[in-house]
Amino acid sequence: MNFTKKMFQENATLEDEVHVAGDSESWHIFMIVFQVILALGITFGNTLVIASFWKFEPLRIVSNIFLVNLAVADLLVGILAIPIRIAFVNLPMVRQDMQMFLQELKESLQMSPFCFLWQIASVLLLLASLFTLAAIAIERFVAVRMPFRYIELCTTKRCVLVCAFIWALSIVMSVLCLAFVKEQLGNTCRMADLTSPTYFKCILAPCIGFVFLVSWVLNMCTFYTARKAVKCSINILRDNKASEWQMLSTYKVTVTAFLVLITFSLCYIPTVVFTAVGILKKYGIFPDVVILLLFANSSMNPIIYGLRLPLFRRAFAKILKRENGSIATSNYSSDGENT
């Protein structure tokens, strides 16, 4: 009995210490500095992706439309979501005058519009990224499983319309959170203090779970089919270099899309887990840690493109060196991409 009581006391002390650490001034200063660095990296990397697509014609192909759409969502994380969070979540914990300003604003309007702007922006960009990953999974599935119908089904016009639909649906679902505002708002701009759990449990979580599952199933099927096709065809196509490199190129793009989904999953799964067990609301420091993971994911995709896709790698190099000219060559590159 005494042992159990002592254990509960120790756990309570630990929770208090972690909560205090999450609300301490030094912690929020660290968060501000880290998020500023992260925002600069996100903005630089994704601007590079968008500029490469815009400047170099060989990159303006159907499969890259969704990659650029994902880059736009990631770029908005760097120039919109992170600055809003710094201004209205972290800075008020460092500057007393801002904290008083937000409190007065909340009392006069019964809510802080900036807090809800942060929430809407976060959910919007999360859904836009997730829906785009699902679109990439479908596009890759068609390319690998139905190659003879790919040109017919995946046209530029259709892909652009899909991207527009992704943003429209993401906007509707993110703004929907305003219909689930808590009657008694919390003292912070964290989502748990603003929105009813019903929004997350009945709307957001089922949608994210379903799209996430579909993306994983399609990517695994596509990866398995592409890998099997490469193994079976490598000897058959040995005398046909053009077909061989085309096969390897399709496989490389498929693996790259799978890697993007894996990194997205690794960054977002902690949030899902912590939310499911109620840690995000209970512990002060962990919400900030998982938020950093979400932000960090937006900086990873340009790195993956640069490492995995030679055309993007050469485009990045030409832009950074301020060189002109084409990024394509007349031969087939040795790294498996028709360039």
Side-chain angles (χ1 to χ4, degrees), residues 23 88-89 93 106 115 185-194:
D23 289 332
F88 298 101
V89 176
M93 304 303 294
K106 187 178 292 187
C115 290
L185 298 178
N187 296 321
T188 72
C189 278
R190 287 171 180 156
M191 292 185 186
D193 289 329
L194 300 174

Side-chain angles (χ1 to χ4, degrees), residues 3 54 93 151 166 234 254 258 267 300 317:
F3 173 78
W54 182 266
M93 304 303 294
I151 297 178
I166 285 173
I234 197 71
T254 300
F258 201 11
C267 291
M300 294 179 183

Side-chain angles (χ1 to χ4, degrees), residues 23-313:
D23 289 332
S24 68
E25 182 176 327
S26 58
W27 171 255
H28 283 280
I29 291 174
F30 165 77
M31 285 290 296
I32 291 171
V33 173
F34 192 88
Q35 287 176 110
V36 167
I37 296 173
L38 202 54
L40 292 174
I42 290 170
T43 303
F44 173 77
N46 288 287
T47 300
L48 206 55
V49 172
I50 297 169
S52 298
F53 180 83
W54 182 266
K55 184 176 181 179
F56 298 106
E57 187 175 353
L59 287 175
R60 294 199 290 270
I61 57 176
V62 169
S63 60
N64 287 343
I65 292 175
F66 294 121
L67 296 186
V68 171
N69 195 59
L70 188 59
V72 170
D74 289 337
L75 178 62
L76 290 175
V77 170
I79 64 177
L80 181 64
I82 293 181
I84 291 175
R85 189 174 196 279
I86 291 174
F88 298 101
V89 176
N90 299 119
L91 272 181
M93 304 303 294
V94 178
R95 291 179 58 90
Q96 190 68 25
D97 54 345
M98 286 199 65
Q99 192 171 21
M100 293 175 63
F101 166 74
L102 288 179
Q103 186 62 32
E104 291 174 0
L105 186 63
K106 187 178 292 187
E107 290 174 356
S108 62
L109 300 177
Q110 298 302 315
M111 69 176 72
S112 173
F114 300 104
C115 290
F116 284 99
L117 178 60
W118 145 246
Q119 176 168 319
I120 291 171
S122 300
V123 176
L124 166 64
L125 299 178
L126 162 64
L127 292 176
S129 297
L130 185 60
F131 292 155
T132 302
L133 288 174
I136 292 173
I138 295 171
E139 184 269 334
R140 285 291 88 203
F141 183 85
V142 174
V144 173
R145 300 295 293 264
M146 296 180 283
F148 298 108
R149 297 196 62 196
Y150 179 80
I151 297 178
E152 173 193 350
L153 296 175
C154 297
T155 64
T156 300
K157 183 178 179 180
R158 285 180 179 175
C159 290
V160 171
L161 288 175
V162 168
C163 291
F165 175 76
I166 285 173
W167 284 102
L169 182 60
S170 301
I171 290 171
V172 170
M173 291 195 64
S174 58
V175 173
L176 194 61
C177 72
L178 296 178
F180 294 88
V181 177
K182 282 186 173 181
E183 294 183 6
Q184 185 66 36
L185 298 178
N187 296 321
T188 72
C189 278
R190 287 171 180 156
M191 292 185 186
D193 289 329
L194 300 174
T195 306
S196 169
T198 305
Y199 172 69
F200 298 100
K201 294 178 182 178
C202 300
I203 298 178
L204 201 58
C207 174
I208 291 176
F210 174 75
V211 177
F212 201 72
L213 179 63
V214 169
S215 299
W216 266 96
V217 170
L218 287 177
N219 267 287
M220 291 183 70
C221 291
T222 304
F223 176 76
Y224 174 77
T225 302
R227 186 177 178 84
K228 185 177 180 180
V230 168
K231 286 184 177 180
C232 294
S233 304
I234 197 71
N235 293 325
I236 299 175
L237 300 175
R238 190 173 297 278
D239 296 330
N240 189 337
K241 290 297 181 181
S243 298
E244 182 181 356
W245 290 124
Q246 185 61 42
M247 175 71 72
L248 292 174
S249 175
T250 302
Y251 177 68
K252 175 166 281 191
V253 174
T254 300
V255 172
T256 302
F258 201 11
L259 287 175
V260 170
L261 178 62
I262 290 172
T263 57
F264 182 89
S265 304
L266 291 175
C267 291
Y268 276 82
I269 283 176
T271 303
V272 176
V273 173
F274 284 134
T275 303
V277 298
I279 290 179
L280 282 182
K281 187 176 179 182
K282 192 173 183 181
Y283 293 155
I285 194 172
F286 290 118
D288 293 327
V289 173
V290 295
I291 286 294
L292 287 182
L293 271 177
L294 303 187
F295 289 159
N297 177 73
S298 297
S299 67
M300 294 179 183
N301 292 336
I303 299 174
I304 295 174
Y305 304 156
L307 292 175
R308 293 284 310 171
L309 304 176
L311 282 181
F312 270 107
R313 185 163 59 245

